[in-house]
Amino acid sequence: MAALSNTSDFGQITPANAMKWDAIEPAQGTFMFAAGDAIANLSASNNQLLRCHNLVWHSQLPSWVTSTQWTNETLTAMLQDHVTQEVTHYKGQCYAWDVVNEALNDNGTLQEDVFFNILGEDYIRIAFEAAAAADPSAKLYYNDFGIETAGAKSTGAQNIVKTLKAAGTKIDGVGLQSHFIAGSTPSKSSQVSNLQSFTSLGVEVAITELDIRIELPVTTSNLAQQSTDYQTTIDACLAVDGCVGITVWDFDDKVGILL
């Protein structure tokens, strides 16, 4: 807690699990905010930004979401209600929201899940519009991994931005999770070019879950490589106008928590 509360190191907090669907609405219409409130209160007491995560994701869904026989109309209403209730509860506290998380397959197509299978790609627009209506001041993000360099998945994420903008739907940013491995982290130039491919669409970008794994046992050599690779990604963000923040996947090796 002492390390976390040092705002010279950490100016922003992201909850790992406390704001995900299974934690917030474990039964339909039953909302439980206590765990999320603890994170929000901590960030407020430390005068840190709160980057809220996440509203819609195919994983960590309670069984009632995946087992109910939805229609287009009932699922739309349920999705809008969940997003509206959660964003309204945290209105004015969240600097930004990861509205939709990890919607893409590696080939850039949209994953089949309960939302896509009923609503098609329109579920993304529905979620973003509900979030925008509930808290117009919050930044709204699409967040994913494997989009840190040019390729099919990065193109897929860019297409999400283009589709939402074409519909007149508010989207402010794209979060690039950046789960890397020491020694195979993308080069600075490739990361810069890719980040600019998003900012050229009129959205900001952020590194949202940066971690760089090393093989055990720890050695002086692989620690040095890890350090170099962290610097590479940070330098890439700093080189791009519109790269607004870097979040690390915790700051020690004991537990994996987004901070």
Side-chain angles (χ1 to χ4, degrees):
M1 285 301 296
L4 171 60
S5 299
N6 180 357
T7 54
S8 295
D9 288 335
F10 301 111
Q12 176 180 278
I13 297 177
T14 302
N17 294 300
M19 294 184 182
K20 289 175 181 172
W21 200 309
D22 57 352
I24 291 291
E25 193 181 7
Q28 187 170 12
T30 300
F31 290 86
M32 301 178 65
F33 296 111
D37 289 351
I39 305 295
N41 293 338
L42 175 64
S43 69
S45 64
N46 285 341
N47 197 30
Q48 292 163 313
L49 294 173
L50 180 63
R51 194 174 188 286
C52 294
H53 173 87
N54 62 56
L55 294 169
V56 182
W57 185 29
H58 61 83
S59 187
Q60 291 183 236
L61 291 170
S63 60
W64 68 267
V65 174
T66 55
S67 63
T68 299
Q69 297 301 305
W70 304 103
T71 65
N72 188 300
E73 292 75 19
T74 59
L75 185 58
T76 296
M78 184 274 283
L79 179 58
Q80 290 172 328
D81 182 65
H82 175 82
V83 172
T84 299
Q85 293 282 352
E86 183 167 5
V87 176
T88 298
H89 179 83
Y90 291 108
K91 183 177 182 179
Q93 300 178 70
C94 299
Y95 152 74
W97 270 105
D98 287 329
V99 178
V100 175
N101 190 56
E102 299 179 3
L104 294 168
N105 296 306
D106 289 342
N107 65 2
T109 62
L110 289 170
Q111 288 209 33
E112 293 188 7
D113 60 18
V114 62
F115 307 109
F116 179 82
N117 291 343
I118 301 294
L119 300 174
E121 66 180 315
D122 204 41
Y123 86 87
I124 299 175
R125 178 193 61 80
I126 292 167
F128 271 84
E129 291 185 352
D135 189 354
S137 66
K139 301 264 188 169
L140 304 183
Y141 271 68
Y142 174 73
N143 189 59
D144 213 331
F145 66 93
I147 61 171
E148 299 83 10
T149 57
K153 196 169 187 181
S154 179
T155 299
Q158 292 164 40
N159 288 337
I160 288 174
V161 175
K162 292 176 182 177
T163 299
L164 291 175
K165 283 187 168 286
T169 301
K170 172 183 165 73
I171 177 171
D172 299 291
V174 173
L176 297 89
Q177 294 181 12
S178 305
H179 297 293
F180 297 141
I181 299 172
S184 60
T185 293
S187 68
K188 176 183 174 181
S189 61
S190 66
Q191 291 188 63
V192 167
S193 175
N194 186 67
L195 290 168
Q196 290 172 334
S197 71
F198 288 102
T199 58
S200 68
L201 300 177
V203 293
E204 63 187 34
V205 289
I207 308 300
T208 54
E209 301 181 18
L210 179 61
D211 72 326
I212 301 176
R213 287 164 286 168
I214 57 176
E215 291 187 10
L216 298 178
V218 173
T219 66
T220 301
S221 176
N222 60 25
L223 281 176
Q225 182 65 58
Q226 184 189 51
S227 177
T228 296
D229 290 348
Y230 270 112
Q231 183 173 329
T232 295
T233 295
I234 292 167
D235 284 349
C237 179
L238 290 171
V240 175
D241 289 338
C243 188
V244 300
I246 299 166
T247 303
V248 296
W249 189 273
D250 213 343
F251 56 91
D252 67 24
D253 295 326
K254 279 192 172 184
V255 288
I257 305 174
L258 279 160
L259 294 170

